[in-house]
Amino acid sequence: MSNERPVYMGPRLRRLRRDLGLTQANMATDLEISSSYVALLERNQRPLTADMLLRLARIYKIDMADLAHDAGGEQTARLQALLKDPMFGDIDVPALELADVVTGFPGVTETLLRLYTAYREEHLALADRGAETRDNAPDASDPVAEARRFLAARRNNFASLDDAGERLAAAVAEAGGLAAYLKARHRLRVRRLPSDVMGGAMRRYDRHRDQVLLDETLDTASQTFQLAVQLAYLEMRGEIDAELGRGGFATESGGRLAHKALASYAAAAVLMPYTAFAQAAESRRYDVEKLARQFGASFEQTAHRLTTLQKPGDERVPFFFIRVDQAGNVSKRLDGAGFPFARHGGGCPLWSVHQVFRRPREIVTQWLELPDGQRFFSISRTVTAGGGAYGSLRVERAIALGCAAEHAGRLVYTQDPASPGPETATTIGVACHLCHRPKCTARSAPPLGRPVLPDDFRRASAPFGFSDV
């Protein structure tokens, strides 16, 4: 009597069939079985026999090891990540039970994952609407907020794009680089043209002349990234559209901004493949400059990529990221570390990200403590966009990359024995209207719900005096 367990891989078989562009009838014809039997296999109502595995591998030219790989591993890891939410803190689900659910009920598993993602999106949307009410903002959908909610609900990680990016990166490396791959695979020539010829575009895909045009003033990292973005649009559109289809957008602009963000994510997945980049990040103790040199990326591109290393089952240090200009406007915000960003209004001026403009291109480290006692560690630095020629407009922005205090010991930036420790943390607030520290001289507004005291007889050092009760 055989002790081998039956092999069920319905979802993986369905995904393979769809990737190949086949109907169940097409696959049934190829495998010389009935369409109803294909349907039963895909619903995990029949096991996949060794003979069928061999037939699939032979007919569709698939590596046997890849095909037989545990298809439920990724779904199990995603369910495990879901159950880490504090909402489920009192529920103990053994790992064996999770594996049984994923293997035996793939449809239920996917339903739970989609429901939780929808819950996260709605939770973030409610927070936005609450902030809009407080700020008397117009009750209209904000496309930027929509795109940010879409990314935040998924912790800025899209495993399907990472997997596709790794495969494409291998093909690009074999071809000898992005330009060579575009030429060989798509018969596209890469040309670099003056800014006045480009007419304000950094990149343009000229389908009629089979060429990709780049602004010659772009630096090397930016040119490479733009080629990777174009390649993502050419070869990863299916994966991008599938991820985008799982979001609900009230505005067309919100969907387009999310689409743009996913294309950039896909480009980074090609230039900094997940497995290699994650391993390098650990071995180099998350030294952003070293990683940027290794992968030929800019400081900002590398810092951004570090926020995506939350692939279920292969999670690394969870980071948050923010980019601001000198007026305090936030142009990019990503959170994988549970940092409570101000959803509306400015941030705290005591955070070094608002001060590094006085120390251009220098990395500034800082320990942070929020009013509720949470501690974080961040690095801040200025980055430059534009330029590339005399008289060209340059835009200076500041970015901050940070993590919770419990992970800071894994970062190179905390290894200097002379550097200050968490006990020196700067006390900051999320935003002035949410911070209840009474003696902050940097305050620009009183906190919500606290009556402002008159100053007829006493003027406090802080801009606003307010009652303690």
Side-chain angles (χ1 to χ4, degrees), residues 130-381:
E132 287 169 357
T133 301
R134 289 193 299 271
D135 295 343
N136 295 318
D139 186 21
S141 294
D142 179 352
V144 174
E146 277 195 293
R148 285 177 178 170
R149 286 198 297 268
F150 174 79
L151 297 174
R154 293 154 180 82
R155 299 189 70 191
N156 195 36
N157 176 261
F158 300 89
S160 65
L161 299 185
D162 286 320
D163 292 341
E166 286 195 291
R167 293 193 294 270
L168 192 49
V172 167
E174 187 176 346
L178 284 165
Y181 182 84
L182 286 167
K183 182 68 175 176
R185 172 75 174 175
H186 298 281
R187 298 181 180 177
L188 291 173
R189 184 165 57 114
V190 177
R191 295 184 63 198
R192 294 163 178 81
L193 299 176
S195 297
D196 55 347
V197 178
M198 291 295 291
M202 290 193 297
R203 166 184 50 83
R204 187 157 63 86
Y205 175 31
D206 186 347
R207 290 184 294 179
H208 301 294
R209 296 180 177 83
D210 294 327
Q211 55 189 2
V212 179
L213 309 177
L214 297 174
D215 187 330
E216 66 180 10
T217 63
L218 293 175
D219 60 30
T220 302
S222 296
Q223 289 188 22
T224 303
F225 190 81
Q226 288 304 319
L227 287 180
V229 169
Q230 190 61 65
L231 182 58
Y233 280 128
L234 290 170
E235 295 205 19
M236 295 173 67
R237 189 174 293 276
E239 290 85 353
I240 291 172
D241 288 345
E243 292 289 356
L244 201 65
R246 298 186 181 106
F249 299 96
T251 67
E252 186 176 2
S253 293
R256 286 178 177 173
L257 287 174
H259 188 270
K260 179 181 177 182
L262 290 181
S264 294
Y265 186 109
V270 173
L271 298 178
M272 295 169 270
Y274 193 97
T275 301
F277 185 77
Q279 291 173 351
E282 287 285 355
S283 65
R284 284 156 179 73
R285 302 187 72 87
Y286 298 89
D287 187 322
V288 181
E289 291 173 298
K290 271 190 176 181
L291 291 168
R293 294 288 179 89
Q294 178 178 346
F295 289 90
S298 71
F299 188 91
E300 181 178 345
Q301 290 165 1
T302 306
H304 190 160
R305 182 59 169 153
L306 284 171
T307 70
T308 69
L309 300 184
Q310 295 303 304
K311 187 176 183 180
D314 191 18
E315 298 94 339
R316 305 298 168 137
V317 170
F319 285 102
F320 61 85
F321 174 99
I322 191 170
R323 186 179 69 189
V324 301
D325 63 20
Q326 295 189 55
N329 299 306
V330 177
S331 53
K332 190 182 291 184
R333 185 179 68 208
L334 302 162
D335 184 27
F339 189 81
F341 284 113
R343 307 194 72 77
H344 289 264
C348 181
L350 300 179
W351 189 6
S352 61
V353 70
H354 300 290
Q355 302 164 11
V356 291
F357 294 102
R358 294 176 299 195
R359 301 163 68 176
R361 315 290 288 184
E362 179 183 344
I363 293 178
V364 177
T365 65
Q366 186 181 30
W367 288 92
L368 308 170
E369 183 176 316
L370 297 176
D372 62 2
Q374 289 188 87
R375 286 184 175 176
F376 294 87
F377 178 80
S378 80
I379 66 167
S380 301
R381 204 199 84 160

Side-chain angles (χ1 to χ4, degrees), residues 68-141:
H69 178 69
D70 178 16
E74 180 183 330
Q75 297 290 74
T76 301
R78 290 178 64 196
L79 264 186
Q80 287 172 334
L82 179 157
L83 290 171
K84 292 177 182 177
D85 191 294
M87 178 172 62
F88 305 118
D90 61 335
I91 303 176
D92 180 24
V93 182
L96 189 58
E97 278 189 31
L98 274 183
D100 286 344
V101 169
V102 172
T103 302
F105 307 97
V108 173
T109 301
E110 184 62 26
T111 300
L112 288 172
L113 291 169
R114 290 188 187 183
L115 280 173
Y116 178 73
T117 302
Y119 153 77
R120 287 275 299 153
E121 287 183 324
E122 188 59 28
H123 182 75
L124 293 166
L126 285 170
D128 276 340
R129 286 198 285 271
E132 287 169 357
T133 301
R134 289 193 299 271
D135 295 343
N136 295 318
D139 186 21
S141 294

